Amino acid sequence: MYNWYFVVTIIISLSLVDCAVIAKEDDVEEQGLYSKSDKVVILTQRNFERKVYNQRHAVVVQFYNSYCGHCRAFSPKFKAMAKDFAAWKPIIQLAVMDCANEENNEICRQFEVMAYPSLRYIHEQYIKGNGNVGDRIQMAETAEKLKAQVITKMQNEQSKGHLAFAPNFSIASYASYASALNDIPNDVTYTFLVFENENSTVGSEIALDLNDYQHIKVKRIRENSELGYIAGVYHFPGLVAVRSTLEPTNITPKNPSQQNLLKAINMFLKSKNYVFPSRDINHKDTIFIEHSDEKSLVSSSDIVYYADLEKTLKTSFTTEITRHKSLTGEALRSLLDYLEVLRSFFPARGNLRDYIIDLHTTLGSKQEWSGSEIYETVKRLEITHAPVYTSELEYIGCKGSQPQYRGYTCGLWTLFHTLTANAAQSPGTEGPKVLKAMHGYVKHFFGCTTCSEHFQAMATRNRIFDIKENDKAVLWLWIAHNEVNLRLAGDVTEDPEHPKIQFPSVSKCPECRSARGAWNLPSVYQYLLNMYKKENIWDLRRARSIAARSSPFSNLDIGMLSLLYIFCLFILILVIKFFLTKRFYRKRHYKHGRGTCRLRFAIKRLQNKNIFHNLISPWDEIVKRLRIVHLYSWHVYLS
Ligand SMILES: Cc1cc2nc3c(=O)[nH]c(=O)nc-3n(C[C@H](O)[C@H](O)[C@H](O)COP(=O)(O)OP(=O)(O)OC[C@H]3O[C@@H](n4cnc5c(N)ncnc54)[C@H](O)[C@@H]3O)c2cc1C
Ligand SMILES: *[C@@H]1O[C@H](CO)[C@@H](O)[C@H](O)[C@H]1NC(C)=O
Ligand SMILES: *[C@@H]1O[C@H](CO)[C@@H](O)[C@H](O)[C@H]1NC(C)=O
């Protein structure tokens, strides 16, 4: 299986190398006044058709003459504009063609270029021939003005039915927030209303800048619109952030330039702890310094408490799985799946394991159950196996700063992360089973209906049932949870002392993000395994002794000592093994095939270990689609 995978990977990589070579022939690094590093496409006779016609994006082509002084003077402006346009690549690209270069003469002729430099707008899916020479764009003195010309052109193009894939640039008047947000999709958390003159391009530019990011929309509104008065916008362009709950915040900066508006949006999202981890660091640090008592010390760590898991299970068994009037078919099967993964992967202590096994077996013995029968069974077996629970059944890690926060839902996430992580560490590929069980549980038993609906929609979108490997199951759940965190950041349900972050935080796991800010998946995976694995789940005694930190030999020290002890033992074993092997090796030294065998073993190990080896799996698509990379790099980009 692995061997097959490996071969396919190699073949695909080889074919990719091939493609790269072909692409290289097409791409021109440098010609005339421009090079590729200027973020422009360099057109020549050879690549013109492939780069200009039938594109999914629009292209602005500058025809120039590298000898003309005016063109030289203009090139820094065009390069400056290209930098701003670089992020909009999927929508519009800038290209240049040097008509002083002999090989390009014919195309320059075809395009009837009479003056240099000369700009042409080529819309998407442009067709060659029929005297199609693009639309002329007026030259301008500065890069800023030129950019405005191009955006105006884009606005006009869209109103003619082009650029349907770009953000909506149209401007309208509204009398209320409700009507302004009427056509905003449900998954949008914040809509930024830009109040401006219909001839302004600021709103559209911001919409383009934010186009890549989920859960955000930008909408242009006429400056004399009634909603402007309601919002208290008196300087234009004005900027108002509106939550999906229609709660508005006027964030118009003093000097409302495009840059300042973008900054204001950045600040606002940071203040809502939107995606950015920076506030998370500051926030946690202040908690820690301001009242560094045992509670905050405990609660600000990524630690899993056994008590949270037990309390969650107890609630799940007594109130959730007993909710149905009668239970048969798919719902009953979901319950049995859930109990089965608990039985296999829950790191149960004391009698809880036997209790779960008994519950699973008993409930599996009949085709139909009423809710009250299930409740009676739960209670009866609890007595049979008493004491089932070892903790005081109080939330520790999931305790909210106020009673209305956290608790069971936090516990449920923790439970399923624990299950995926522990399934991933057991033999076979059982991780996906946990996801399936979770899906069934959330669908049929999770008492928070909207949560359940959201989760199912997300599960379909992110193809939960396509996950076949343990590691991917762990990461799938992590992504899903982060998606929920993102949606709920700033929500009324958010505990102010436990802001929704993109987990894990930078401070807790610096290596989980690469320098450019993208997620480093292998590190995230390790972090999750480490956090949720059986051995690292804390019981109350450990939590207390750490929090108290009173005795000279705290648990941490004891932990360190035992680690040291284990380490010594390990070294001892290694030394013994070394001597044994040496003797062994000397004996068999001249025998055949040892080297190859070793190599094969090493490769096998690598394959088994290097789970992110295959770069072209559907998993990557998922990750890309979720824009994990984007979400974070946006932060880098904006700040
Ligand atoms: C399936 C499901 C769907 C939900 N849908 C909604 C909803 O639609 N609307 C709604 O208002 N609430 C929803 N909730 C509840 C919500 O997600 C939180 O559980 C609740 O707001 C409490 O948040 P919390 O601060 O305790 O942290 P939680 O989000 O509950 O997280 C618990 C703990 O898990 C760890 N953690 C956080 N993120 C990750 C991650 N990405 N990977 C691994 N570990 C992580 C952290 O240590 C955190 O303290 C849902 C819960 C579940 C289980
Ligand atoms: C763009 O938004 C306007 C209102 O601002 C709306 O009337 C129009 O239908 C939208 N266009 C598209 C393609 O969604
Ligand atoms: C926008 O520009 C057009 C053409 O330049 C002009 O006729 C119109 O009055 C302008 N609109 C506003 C609101 O300034």
Side-chain angles (χ1 to χ4, degrees):
M1 169 67 196
Y2 271 114
N3 283 336
W4 183 82
Y5 216 51
F6 194 57
V7 169
V8 169
T9 314
I10 288 181
I11 292 174
I12 293 177
S13 337
L14 282 180
S15 53
L16 269 186
V17 170
D18 250 24
C19 290
V21 173
I22 292 168
K24 266 253 146 41
E25 280 172 11
D26 223 13
D27 279 6
V28 182
E29 296 289 326
E30 198 171 355
Q31 191 173 71
L33 303 176
Y34 297 88
S35 76
K36 235 178 115 183
S37 60
D38 295 322
K39 315 267 187 215
V40 294
V41 179
I42 297 182
L43 299 172
T44 71
Q45 167 87 18
R46 280 165 291 147
N47 68 9
F48 192 87
E49 292 204 2
R50 254 185 298 234
K51 298 273 181 190
V52 171
Y53 298 117
N54 280 315
Q55 302 298 304
R56 298 164 99 176
H57 50 79
V59 185
V60 173
V61 183
Q62 183 204 167
F63 294 94
Y64 72 100
N65 181 324
S66 48
Y67 303 131
C68 98
H70 197 54
C71 298
R72 286 174 180 267
F74 177 69
S75 81
K77 294 171 195 163
F78 196 72
K79 287 175 186 175
M81 184 165 90
K83 281 212 181 71
D84 287 350
F85 273 60
W88 312 340
K89 212 172 156 187
I91 299 167
I92 187 164
Q93 294 183 10
L94 300 191
V96 292
M97 184 160 217
D98 183 5
C99 297
N101 195 311
E102 202 180 321
E103 66 165 331
N104 300 337
N105 282 351
E106 195 186 322
I107 292 178
C108 295
R109 252 195 315 278
Q110 273 173 25
F111 272 73
E112 301 161 18
V113 182
M114 295 306 172
Y116 302 115
S118 171
L119 295 180
R120 298 287 170 81
Y121 181 95
I122 316 267
H123 66 67
E124 72 275 11
Q125 308 301 345
Y126 205 74
I127 294 167
K128 188 184 174 185
N130 302 334
N132 279 351
V133 295
D135 297 342
R136 288 187 173 74
I137 293 181
Q138 278 234 311
M139 273 298 167
E141 297 295 304
T142 65
E144 279 309 308
K145 278 189 190 154
L146 191 61
K147 186 158 82 177
Q149 312 258 57
V150 176
I151 293 173
T152 305
K153 174 70 181 167
M154 290 170 80
Q155 290 172 352
N156 294 339
E157 282 286 301
Q158 196 177 54
S159 64
K160 285 191 282 178
H162 289 303
L163 290 179
F165 49 92
N168 191 336
F169 301 132
S170 69
I171 190 163
S173 298
Y174 295 98
S176 70
Y177 289 114
S179 59
L181 265 60
N182 197 24
D183 58 349
I184 297 293
N186 283 335
D187 65 339
V188 170
T189 317
Y190 291 108
T191 307
F192 292 96
L193 306 179
V194 179
F195 293 83
E196 61 182 355
N197 182 298
E198 64 177 308
N199 290 337
S200 164
T201 55
V202 170
S204 302
E205 193 175 337
I206 289 175
L208 283 163
D209 282 332
L210 305 190
N211 181 48
D212 260 0
Y213 310 110
Q214 292 186 321
H215 311 293
I216 296 281
K217 277 266 183 280
V218 174
K219 192 150 183 163
R220 298 178 66 215
I221 304 209
R222 284 180 203 279
E223 57 189 356
N224 53 7
S225 176
E226 200 178 327
L227 188 52
Y229 298 108
I230 297 171
V233 173
Y234 305 111
H235 304 285
F236 301 98
L239 182 64
V240 175
V242 191
R243 238 191 110 76
S244 47
T245 51
L246 300 186
E247 166 200 335
T249 317
N250 187 340
I251 52 172
T252 310
K254 273 217 177 74
N255 168 19
S257 66
Q258 188 269 341
Q259 278 302 318
N260 288 342
L261 291 186
L262 207 56
K263 269 191 200 141
I265 290 175
N266 181 20
M267 300 253 292
F268 174 80
L269 289 176
K270 266 189 183 163
S271 78
K272 294 295 173 193
N273 201 27
Y274 178 63
V275 182
F276 321 122
S278 42
R279 181 187 148 205
D280 151 50
I281 303 170
N282 303 336
H283 193 92
K284 287 250 160 101
D285 284 349
T286 42
I287 290 181
F288 195 78
I289 293 159
E290 272 169 18
H291 27 246
S292 66
D293 58 4
E294 57 180 50
K295 202 175 103 216
S296 62
L297 180 70
V298 163
S299 64
S300 65
S301 313
D302 285 347
I303 291 170
V304 178
Y305 293 92
Y306 192 65
D308 289 9
L309 295 172
E310 277 198 343
K311 173 87 174 161
T312 304
L313 278 187
K314 166 112 181 162
T315 307
S316 161
F317 290 159
T318 51
T319 63
E320 293 225 293
I321 64 173
T322 55
R323 286 191 312 134
H324 291 253
K325 190 141 184 270
S326 117
L327 205 61
T328 57
E330 189 195 312
L332 179 58
R333 261 200 309 284
S334 296
L335 175 56
L336 294 175
D337 285 350
Y338 169 62
L339 290 172
E340 193 189 320
V341 297
L342 285 178
R343 179 178 173 161
S344 308
F345 309 118
F346 185 75
R349 296 173 186 176
N351 299 338
L352 185 53
R353 175 172 307 285
D354 288 342
Y355 170 69
I356 293 171
I357 292 174
D358 208 351
L359 198 57
H360 180 223
T361 322
T362 311
L363 294 181
S365 66
K366 244 175 38 160
Q367 299 295 318
E368 182 169 0
W369 291 86
S370 73
S372 54
E373 278 174 328
I374 292 182
Y375 182 76
E376 280 156 20
T377 310
V378 165
K379 283 290 157 195
R380 180 170 57 76
L381 295 180
E382 218 176 79
I383 294 167
T384 312
H385 295 280
V388 169
Y389 299 105
T390 58
S391 70
E392 288 164 24
L393 293 171
E394 294 285 351
Y395 290 115
I396 302 175
C398 282
K399 189 169 160 54
S401 64
Q402 303 273 322
Q404 75 267 29
Y405 297 131
R406 315 192 74 209
Y408 180 65
T409 57
C410 171
L412 207 59
W413 279 121
T414 311
L415 173 64
F416 282 108
H417 286 301
T418 303
L419 292 174
T420 48
N422 284 291
Q425 280 162 325
S426 59
T429 46
E430 304 286 320
K433 245 192 203 170
V434 177
L435 292 187
K436 183 168 170 268
M438 177 177 183
H439 183 265
Y441 182 87
V442 170
K443 180 171 177 186
H444 295 286
F445 303 105
F446 190 20
C448 168
T449 318
T450 49
C451 301
S452 170
E453 283 162 3
H454 277 138
F455 185 81
Q456 281 170 73
M458 172 167 65
T460 312
R461 213 165 50 237
N462 297 351
R463 299 187 295 181
I464 189 172
F465 297 117
D466 288 357
I467 301 295
K468 299 280 184 282
E469 295 90 359
N470 281 335
D471 40 30
K472 290 181 182 175
V474 170
L475 289 173
W476 189 95
L477 195 59
W478 162 74
I479 290 177
H481 195 170
N482 267 349
E483 235 187 284
V484 175
N485 290 344
L486 183 60
R487 178 158 48 80
L488 297 179
D491 192 82
V492 285
T493 60
E494 180 181 64
D495 186 337
E497 293 207 5
H498 297 272
K500 302 270 184 248
I501 60 158
Q502 289 301 286
F503 181 94
S505 68
V506 180
S507 54
K508 285 279 145 42
C509 182
E511 67 278 11
C512 286
R513 279 136 167 135
S514 67
R516 278 186 51 251
W519 289 110
N520 179 1
L521 293 182
S523 298
V524 172
Y525 180 60
Q526 277 313 322
Y527 188 86
L528 294 172
L529 281 196
N530 201 42
M531 171 173 172
Y532 288 105
K533 77 175 173 196
K534 174 162 73 195
E535 296 79 10
N536 287 350
I537 294 172
W538 285 28
D539 58 24
L540 196 60
R541 197 173 44 81
R542 189 163 166 201
R544 279 209 183 113
S545 60
I546 288 291
R549 285 172 302 156
S550 51
S551 71
F553 272 95
S554 70
N555 261 18
L556 245 187
D557 295 327
I558 292 171
M560 285 303 285
L561 279 180
S562 6
L563 257 181
L564 207 69
Y565 179 72
I566 291 170
F567 181 67
C568 289
L569 237 146
F570 181 66
I571 293 285
L572 197 71
I573 292 172
L574 266 189
V575 167
I576 293 173
K577 193 170 172 246
F578 177 72
F579 279 109
L580 282 177
T581 340
K582 225 176 163 186
R583 276 184 51 204
F584 192 57
Y585 189 75
R586 222 178 277 135
K587 267 188 213 156
R588 306 190 40 187
H589 178 65
Y590 39 83
K591 285 209 174 150
H592 58 89
R594 206 181 149 85
T596 355
C597 182
R598 262 202 183 172
L599 185 65
R600 208 179 303 144
F601 178 66
I603 289 178
K604 185 103 193 151
R605 251 208 346 216
L606 252 180
Q607 280 169 266
N608 286 339
K609 265 198 164 166
N610 195 353
I611 47 172
F612 300 99
H613 201 74
N614 189 353
L615 290 171
I616 315 142
S617 63
W619 173 252
D620 255 59
E621 272 169 48
I622 295 180
V623 171
K624 260 191 220 139
R625 213 154 47 75
L626 291 178
R627 299 173 192 212
I628 299 179
V629 176
H630 277 98
L631 287 173
Y632 193 74
S633 41
W634 185 32
H635 168 232
V636 175
Y637 166 67
L638 284 179
S639 55

